[in-house]
Amino acid sequence: MIDSAQLIDNDFLRQFELRIDDELAKIEYSLQDRKIFLTKIEIPNSVEDESFEEEFLIMVFDNIKERNISVVPTSPQIAKFVRRHRQYKRMLPVGIRI
């Protein structure tokens, strides 16, 4: 399902978007001084695939990594993801621990 979807960085609404059928999964963010604060994740209720959230977050983190920006996860769900995926911890700014 997620393999065919295209990640969109909607900088006007400050959110990453992934359209699934007729619904929208999104991660809201705030960009400040070469840091991106991931503030909220919303997955449509119709998405029943339990791995969807993780795959969506991997797409977003890989996109951010390509832009060489530090990540500050302020959402508990996103912080939990970073704890489970140590490879993304190096994207945190100096002094931020999760």
Side-chain angles (χ1 to χ4, degrees):
M1 177 197 314
I2 201 167
D3 298 332
S4 61
Q6 182 179 4
L7 181 68
I8 297 167
D9 180 2
N10 184 336
D11 57 353
F12 179 73
L13 294 177
R14 292 180 309 230
Q15 63 190 19
F16 291 101
E17 303 172 343
L18 203 57
R19 185 157 299 283
I20 302 300
D21 298 324
D22 289 333
E23 298 198 73
L24 191 67
K26 60 185 177 180
I27 297 176
E28 296 175 5
Y29 67 82
S30 172
L31 188 59
Q32 303 169 6
D33 299 326
R34 304 279 310 148
K35 290 185 196 95
I36 190 163
F37 293 78
L38 300 178
T39 58
K40 184 177 181 184
I41 182 168
E42 290 184 20
I43 307 293
N45 291 333
S46 65
V47 176
E48 296 176 4
D49 184 0
E50 292 181 15
S51 65
F52 177 85
E53 181 178 313
E54 186 167 308
E55 292 175 31
F56 182 28
L57 283 164
I58 288 171
M59 289 176 80
V60 168
F61 271 77
D62 288 346
N63 179 285
I64 294 168
K65 188 177 186 179
E66 289 175 12
R67 300 189 309 186
N68 200 25
I69 302 173
S70 296
V71 176
V72 181
T74 60
S75 160
Q77 286 172 277
I78 299 171
K80 183 178 176 183
F81 168 81
V82 173
R83 281 194 294 276
R84 283 195 322 255
H85 295 86
R86 294 190 176 280
Q87 70 268 28
Y88 296 116
K89 280 192 172 186
R90 67 187 98 159
M91 293 174 65
L92 300 174
V94 175
I96 300 292
R97 294 184 188 196
I98 294 183

